[in-house]
Amino acid sequence: MLFARAERRTLRAAGAFALCGVVAFVGAATAVLLGHAGEGGGAPLFDAYIRRVATFTLMQAVLSTALSVLLAIPVARALARQRTFPGRMWILRLSVVPLGLPALVAALGIVEIWGRQGVVNDLLRLAGLKNPVSVYGLAGILIAHVFFNLPLAVRFLVAALERIPPEYWLTSANLGMRGGAVFRLIEWPVIRRVLPGIAGLVLMLCAASFTIVLTLGGGPAATTIEVAIYQALRFDFDPARAVLLAFLQIVVTGALLALLSLFGRPPEEGATAGRAIRRFDGRQRRLADRLVILVFTLFTAAPLAATLVSGLAADFMRLALDPLLHRALLTSLAIAFASASLSLAVALPVVLVPQLLGAGDTGMGTRLMARALPAVGSLILLVPPVVMATGWFLMLRTFGETGRFAPAIVTVINALMALPFVIRVLEPAYRTHLARTARLALSLGVTGFDRFARIDWPALKKPFLTAFAFAMALSLGDLGAVAIFGAEGFVTLPWLLFSRMASYRTADAAGIALVLGVLCLLLTLPSTAADRSSESPSSDA
Amino acid sequence: MPETAILLSDVTVRFAEKRLAFDCAVPAGAAVAVAGPSGAGKSTLFNVIAGFETPRTGRVELLGKDMAGREPAERPVSVVFQDNNLFAHLSIADNVGLGIDPGLKLDSAARQSVFSALSRVGLGGYERRLPGSLSGGERQRVALARALVRRRPILLLDEPFAALDPAMRGEMADLLAELRAETKSTMLFITHQPEDIRRLADRAMFIEEGAIVLDEPVRDFLSRREPPGVAKFLGHSAI
């Protein structure tokens, strides 16, 4: 028994409310898409264009995943092996940064480094190459996806390697295992266990990547389904094609999700054994490892540094006085705040209703809700933001009201986008907290609001704030839902940045990107910096 | 065979908040119990001998040879920990086989010695099983089988019985005594139980606050009433 009767009733009501709300919102969008699909009529459904777009979507996702995951293995091994070099902690923290960075800002930074005028091409030209790398097209998309997902994969792999019992390293040193044997007998078995989960996650993220492909993809040769939806709606105004593409996207993500549930458990970043890890195989490989770590650090840090440098060069005085920027900033902050609040409000019943089951509440309705609510939490993975926005756009268009409702729709979509992250942060924290305090609280009669204010909130403040900040950052950086609506008078920060980029006002764009990037990092970094699980090793007797 | 198996002279190790200093001479073939309060430096002593910890100063000699600059695997030492001695994803035979070749390239003679080592510790027929399916005591016996095939003259056991119940402790201690008689190896083991010392040791070391305060035959050690730390450890009231 974890809840008093009144609390159980409130939870059930909240659960039902959240369940119905989300299902209605997503269902309405899908229903509209279905309705439009009927109108399509005689047009040939799968023309060459759509086939090419679908193929490219899968191809770039598979390539991005393979590159991110394969490159992550040597980097993670090097980082796990070298435990004491100066700056190790900062490199581990750096690998959290891309996760909190809006895709649009990252894309800009990547163009600064890898673009025609970038450092990489300068170096290649110095080396005598005639046709340096072009950042637009497949190459750029891959670079950007690796920029986001390589650090993610590295972090998961380092965490997995650090969960290896410290005695293993002592034993392997005592037995005299060489590098090859250490990899084959100790590291690879661990890596193999977590790799499918990591690869699945990265594959999902890349298959539904919108902003990166929109900014770095070029023409029909490098377009994914999501971007094709946007183009069908915004440029060709061909709703039938948009609907068809939307369904294609649902089929693709659905198939990937099914694949994912077959192979990979989602990776965890769980705590290490908490004992000092000491590696004796680091000495011989110090040089090679440091080189690998250096290259990884440069690759991850360079676009960030470029964003900073070119952003600081912008004319901030003029930008600061630009009323459009003020409005975009306020709009974005308001939407981010509202969507983060909504996300948390939906996440709470998703996290708590399943806890009712263990508490002896085995009513039919509760059991059903406990099953359905976690699925609701990840509905956004099946129906991506751009697809959902397309459904609502088509619905509201029939009333001629796309502009007025755009902020509300974007808020809800952003809240749903953040839901999987929010649940991932809150669920384990709440579960352990309940196991620790629920019985005591009940026996003392501290229930309802008192319980929340005096027992739950003080203990769960940190995960709540982390989840809220993360949800806000995600919404602040989102371009997908806004782009579909893109109504006059409804300007968010990413949208403003996007239109500045499109009109080649690069100095302004760099300044706005800096503002947006700093804003998002301020929100996401404090919570990750406090996580010291994999940082400095300590020696003890 | 030199008469002194382990010789530490003026060895010091420094951590952020403490400094440890070891001086001792362990005769070859001895079975030495190492006792003392937690955090006193027992494991650090083992780490210095095994080469997991590099001392700041002093000299470590094993079987008459200076160990400076020698990797853990190049020392005449096998180590058994309290737990996690076995790689959980490798079979019992592979875990023992690592003691013969750390890259697991085993010929049929090597395989044969893995089998006989396992049956020596009473685990014949367990070759294909995974460590997870064994009891804690059985896992420790596998670790002993590995030490057996490695044939290193010095065996360090870091609380080898701590995770075992009393009946298993007895069995393990008997097995260790037998193996020691057969292999003539020098053995150091960390323990918190006076019972283990009585059963297995012929010398005892007591470590307190980073220094070896006692190192004497077990008979003398067991009858001590002071210093207070030792009296407390032995369960004598210190009057």
Side-chain angles (χ1 to χ4, degrees):
Chain A
M1 198 65 89
L2 299 173
F3 300 98
R5 186 176 305 131
E7 290 175 322
R8 290 204 297 273
R9 208 165 29 225
T10 315
L11 272 181
R12 275 194 298 266
F17 196 69
L19 186 63
C20 296
V22 174
V23 168
F25 185 85
V26 180
T30 325
V32 172
L33 291 175
L34 274 173
H36 273 81
E39 291 170 18
L45 279 185
F46 275 93
D47 55 18
Y49 170 75
I50 287 185
R51 230 185 342 258
R52 199 163 58 221
V53 165
T55 315
F56 183 80
T57 304
L58 284 175
M59 197 241 321
Q60 62 83 20
V62 169
L63 281 179
S64 303
T65 307
L67 279 175
S68 306
V69 170
L70 290 181
L71 292 175
I73 293 176
V75 177
R77 287 183 70 209
L79 275 170
R81 199 158 38 208
Q82 304 297 336
R83 310 199 56 77
T84 49
F85 68 91
R88 179 175 190 271
M89 190 182 80
W90 288 104
I91 291 174
L92 286 173
R93 286 188 180 169
L94 173 73
S95 68
V96 185
V97 171
L99 202 64
L101 203 67
L104 200 54
V105 176
L108 212 62
I110 283 166
V111 171
E112 295 277 349
I113 296 295
W114 295 85
R116 190 180 289 277
Q117 259 87 50
V119 189
V120 176
N121 277 329
D122 285 349
L123 288 177
L124 288 178
R125 266 190 291 268
L126 271 181
L129 281 168
K130 277 264 165 56
N131 290 319
V133 191
S134 165
V135 77
Y136 295 101
L138 182 62
I141 293 173
L142 292 183
I143 291 170
H145 282 166
V146 173
F147 170 78
F148 276 109
N149 296 306
L150 173 63
L152 183 74
V154 165
R155 261 166 4 107
F156 282 133
L157 284 179
V158 169
L161 289 173
E162 288 187 343
R163 278 197 299 270
I164 293 175
E167 286 93 344
Y168 281 21
W169 303 117
L170 300 178
T171 303
S172 74
N174 184 232
L175 294 173
M177 281 192 195
R178 304 250 154 252
V182 167
F183 179 67
R184 187 161 48 90
L185 298 174
I186 304 181
E187 290 173 319
W188 176 245
V190 172
I191 293 174
R192 194 184 50 199
R193 256 205 321 276
V194 295
L195 214 53
I198 299 173
L201 180 70
V202 174
L203 192 66
M204 279 301 297
L205 291 173
C206 293
S209 155
F210 172 76
T211 309
I212 291 295
V213 182
L214 182 66
T215 42
L216 297 178
T223 295
T224 55
I225 303 176
E226 294 221 351
V227 173
I229 295 173
Y230 165 78
Q231 283 162 345
L233 275 185
R234 304 295 304 176
F235 294 117
D236 313 331
F237 205 77
D238 185 351
R241 179 183 288 269
V243 166
L244 183 63
L245 287 161
F247 275 110
L248 196 59
Q249 179 71 34
I250 294 180
V251 169
V252 168
T253 43
L256 289 181
L257 275 178
L259 206 69
L260 202 61
S261 64
L262 277 183
F263 286 114
R265 294 162 293 273
E268 14 170 341
E269 274 184 279
T272 58
R275 289 168 292 168
I277 301 169
R278 302 175 4 167
R279 298 282 299 256
F280 301 91
D281 50 349
R283 237 168 296 165
Q284 307 95 324
R285 295 174 170 248
R286 192 174 289 159
L287 205 67
D289 282 349
R290 289 198 177 177
L291 199 67
V292 169
I293 294 169
L294 179 73
V295 172
F296 167 72
T297 309
L298 283 178
F299 177 76
T300 312
L304 302 172
T307 309
L308 186 68
V309 169
S310 62
L312 288 177
D315 185 352
F316 273 103
M317 270 320 279
R318 197 164 53 76
L319 270 180
L321 295 174
D322 184 352
L324 197 57
L325 180 64
H326 294 169
R327 225 176 63 213
L329 185 62
L330 284 179
T331 309
S332 272
L333 284 174
I335 287 182
F337 191 83
S339 78
S341 312
L342 181 62
S343 197
L344 246 63
V346 176
L348 269 181
V350 172
V351 168
L352 289 178
V353 168
Q355 298 287 335
L356 288 176
L357 286 187
D361 182 341
T362 46
M364 182 67 178
T366 314
R367 256 183 300 160
L368 219 66
M369 259 200 296
R371 283 271 180 78
L373 277 171
V376 158
S378 42
L379 207 54
I380 190 76
L381 298 176
L382 181 64
V383 188
V386 168
V387 173
M388 217 176 287
T390 305
W392 275 95
F393 177 79
L394 292 175
M395 178 184 335
L396 294 174
R397 188 178 55 103
T398 49
F399 306 115
E401 292 282 9
T402 52
R404 217 171 61 190
F405 290 106
I409 302 296
V410 170
T411 301
V412 180
I413 291 177
N414 284 349
L416 291 178
M417 277 165 61
L419 209 47
F421 293 91
V422 171
I423 291 170
R424 244 182 102 126
V425 174
L426 285 188
E427 210 272 334
Y430 232 118
R431 190 153 27 92
T432 43
H433 173 72
L434 282 177
R436 218 176 279 156
T437 64
R439 282 171 189 84
L440 184 60
L442 278 184
S443 71
L444 294 173
V446 185
T447 61
F449 180 76
D450 281 338
R451 174 173 173 171
F452 183 79
R454 292 176 195 284
I455 294 174
D456 295 350
W457 173 252
L460 294 169
K461 198 161 36 176
K462 208 187 133 215
F464 266 111
L465 290 178
T466 302
F468 192 84
F470 227 92
M472 262 190 90
L474 211 65
S475 165
L476 272 178
D478 173 52
L479 182 66
V482 186
I484 294 296
F485 278 87
E488 282 300 315
F490 174 50
V491 180
T492 64
L493 220 43
W495 182 247
L496 184 65
L497 173 54
F498 183 61
S499 39
R500 287 292 182 270
M501 281 164 76
S503 54
Y504 296 103
R505 290 168 67 178
T506 32
D508 280 4
I512 298 170
L514 185 60
V515 171
L516 185 56
V518 167
L519 217 52
C520 286
L521 292 187
L522 281 180
L523 283 168
T524 50
L525 283 193
S527 57
T528 44
D531 166 34
R532 298 183 167 274
S533 63
S534 57
E535 285 164 12
S536 64
S538 63
S539 285
D540 198 31
Chain B
M1 190 86 179
E3 288 190 3
T4 305
I6 302 171
L7 181 68
L8 304 186
S9 31
D10 298 321
V11 168
T12 57
V13 178
R14 194 182 282 274
F15 293 123
E17 281 167 13
K18 55 184 142 189
R19 183 176 168 277
L20 302 96
F22 301 118
D23 267 282
C24 68
V26 176
V32 185
V34 179
S38 319
K42 302 186 295 294
S43 293
T44 305
L45 173 68
F46 275 26
N47 286 344
V48 166
I49 298 171
F52 298 142
E53 194 79 62
T54 312
R56 271 169 77 92
T57 64
R59 191 177 162 87
V60 179
E61 265 180 42
L62 302 182
L63 306 171
K65 291 203 180 72
D66 186 5
M67 288 292 124
R70 281 229 214 169
E71 295 287 314
E74 296 163 354
R75 300 181 180 218
V77 175
S78 278
V79 191
V80 174
F81 303 101
Q82 175 183 338
D83 203 0
N84 289 318
N85 284 295
L86 308 184
F87 298 103
H89 53 276
L90 296 180
S91 71
I92 297 303
D94 281 354
N95 267 296
V96 176
L98 284 173
I100 297 175
D101 182 87
L104 265 189
K105 292 176 183 63
L106 305 178
D107 57 21
S108 59
R111 260 176 249 284
Q112 195 49 52
S113 50
V114 168
F115 287 145
S116 48
L118 275 173
S119 48
R120 179 62 195 87
V121 300
L123 293 176
Y126 279 53
E127 287 79 8
R128 288 166 165 277
R129 290 171 65 171
L130 288 177
S133 68
L134 270 59
S135 73
E138 288 166 339
R139 285 200 290 268
Q140 291 303 71
R141 281 192 272 161
V142 176
L144 285 184
R146 182 166 65 206
L148 215 50
V149 300
R150 286 194 82 212
R151 300 172 189 277
R152 300 282 161 119
I154 297 172
L155 180 58
L156 304 178
L157 303 128
D158 191 341
E159 298 198 41
F161 317 124
L164 308 183
D165 62 43
M168 272 195 204
R169 295 177 89 90
E171 275 177 38
M172 268 289 282
D174 292 345
L175 179 62
L176 260 178
E178 287 170 34
L179 294 181
R180 182 182 152 234
E182 286 166 29
T183 58
K184 307 272 187 301
S185 57
T186 309
M187 189 173 94
L188 269 70
F189 65 96
I190 295 176
T191 181
H192 287 290
Q193 304 284 334
E195 182 58 30
D196 293 336
I197 302 183
R198 261 175 226 118
R199 204 146 39 191
L200 210 52
D202 45 41
R203 293 185 71 81
M205 248 183 220
F206 198 80
I207 298 185
E208 220 168 19
E209 288 172 11
I212 300 170
V213 294
L214 286 178
D215 178 8
E216 59 192 4
V218 73
R219 190 187 301 274
D220 301 347
F221 180 78
L222 288 174
S223 56
R224 272 191 177 267
R225 307 254 163 205
E226 49 85 45
V230 177
K232 196 171 158 222
F233 171 78
L234 291 171
H236 303 278
S237 51
I239 304 166

